[in-house]
Amino acid sequence: MDLNTVRDVRDARSHEPWRPGDAWLGGGTYLFSEPQPRLRRLVDLSRMGWEPVTHHHDGSVEFAATCTIAQLSRHGRRSRVRAAPLFEQCCRAFLASFKIWNMATVGGNLCNALPAGPMISLTAALDGECLLQAQDGSLRRVRVADFVLGTGRKDLGEGELLRSVTLPARALASRTAFRQASLYGLGRSAALVIGVLDEQDGSLAVTVTAATVRPFRLWFPLPPDRSGLQSALEAAIGDADWFDDIHGLPAWRRHMALRLAEEVRRELTTDGAR
């Protein structure tokens, strides 16, 4: 789609002052999908030269905001960490063609802050941390689970940039379980639940996305039984937190999220018969 209100596109390396009507341009798959009447200038990040995937000495892995879904998928298929299958599972949760895969970025998916964003699901479940950069160059970090505040809302100041997302080594070494539900085949995710079992201390994290307006990541020092998990989810997720659109009513999303959460609990625990 043509953005007929945009008058200029500048290279992000030029460091010009931020002004009203500016927007960061990563892959552009969302920006060019619908009218953006408030925009006057795009600040293009494509020439920043950020390495898509960086492996750190402590075992953590950092993904640049400009890392594409195709690059993330290739990383997941080559990786030998225990949680590697989760990367491809979340990439496949996109309602997108291969052309979109080669343009859409990890950072763009997070910053759109849509409930069905599978990069939100992936990075929140693995306890990811966002690196944010302000216009003055100052940096701050915030957990992905706290970065997305609601549908289309995120913890970003005016002109602030999501630079990267880092996944800790401990989460990458954990066992994972993935469940997704849609109203129809190859449809947009209406409920997506990921379980992460830390085999070092036996703790379990269950993350609910797509069914809710923001990610909910519940951590248990020891895996709960069925009723304990359901009670914790119902206490954490209020009635207003269940998402409502043409892809699923809140009551159905709630039912599916609780059902899928129990499935991942059973898959990851040895006492799943409880």
Side-chain angles (χ1 to χ4, degrees):
M1 173 175 288
D2 292 335
L3 301 182
N4 56 17
T5 63
V6 173
R7 302 167 184 166
D8 187 23
V9 179
R10 73 168 177 87
D11 191 326
R13 296 174 298 178
S14 64
H15 301 295
E16 296 178 21
W18 190 265
R19 63 194 190 196
D22 281 358
W24 299 109
L25 172 62
T29 55
Y30 166 72
L31 281 179
F32 290 97
S33 69
E34 60 182 47
Q36 309 287 346
R38 69 175 187 83
L39 299 187
R40 299 295 179 269
R41 184 173 67 165
L42 301 180
V43 185
D44 187 5
L45 297 168
S46 64
R47 298 183 181 180
M48 294 301 288
W50 295 334
E51 190 67 28
V53 183
T54 302
H55 296 265
H56 295 293
H57 293 303
D58 63 357
S60 63
V61 180
E62 182 176 10
F63 298 92
T66 49
C67 175
T68 66
I69 306 309
Q71 290 169 328
L72 181 71
S73 173
R74 286 194 293 270
H75 165 78
R77 283 183 272 118
R78 295 169 181 168
S79 177
R80 295 184 179 181
V81 299
R82 191 75 181 272
L86 193 58
F87 289 88
E88 188 71 7
Q89 289 168 326
C90 288
C91 287
R92 295 290 171 186
F94 262 104
L95 183 61
S97 68
F98 75 93
K99 293 180 287 186
I100 297 296
W101 269 40
N102 283 282
M103 292 301 296
T105 62
V106 172
N109 195 247
L110 266 73
C111 289
N112 282 341
L114 299 178
M119 296 300 98
I120 298 172
S121 308
L122 170 68
T123 55
L126 293 177
D127 201 21
E129 185 178 65
C130 298
L131 177 63
L132 309 177
Q133 181 175 320
Q135 283 292 299
D136 62 5
S138 60
L139 301 173
R140 66 185 179 99
R141 296 181 182 273
V142 59
R143 294 174 65 242
V144 173
D146 299 321
F147 176 71
V148 178
L149 304 174
T151 304
R153 298 191 299 114
K154 59 274 184 182
D155 183 9
L156 271 181
E158 184 68 21
E160 197 170 24
L161 171 70
L162 171 60
R163 172 64 180 81
S164 64
V165 181
T166 300
L167 304 180
R170 190 153 176 171
L172 293 170
S174 300
R175 288 177 56 201
T176 62
F178 173 95
R179 295 291 190 280
Q180 177 198 18
S182 301
L183 277 176
Y184 49 92
L186 301 180
R188 179 177 295 180
S189 298
L192 199 158
V193 180
I194 296 172
V196 177
L197 181 68
D198 186 334
E199 294 185 308
Q200 292 187 41
D201 63 8
S203 63
L204 175 69
V206 176
T207 303
V208 177
T209 54
T212 51
V213 297
R214 63 176 180 84
F216 284 85
R217 186 178 191 271
L218 279 66
W219 181 84
F220 304 91
L222 291 174
D225 60 14
R226 177 172 185 163
S227 62
L229 175 60
Q230 180 168 330
S231 296
L233 289 169
E234 291 179 334
I237 306 173
D239 291 342
D241 295 319
W242 297 105
F243 191 47
D244 183 8
D245 71 353
I246 61 172
H247 298 282
L249 295 174
W252 179 75
R253 289 178 188 265
R254 174 185 176 279
H255 169 77
M256 292 306 301
L258 294 177
R259 174 179 173 176
L260 299 182
E262 171 58 15
E263 288 184 9
V264 302
R265 185 196 74 85
R266 291 175 64 89
E267 180 178 331
L268 292 173
T269 59
T270 56
D271 59 346
R274 288 198 295 170

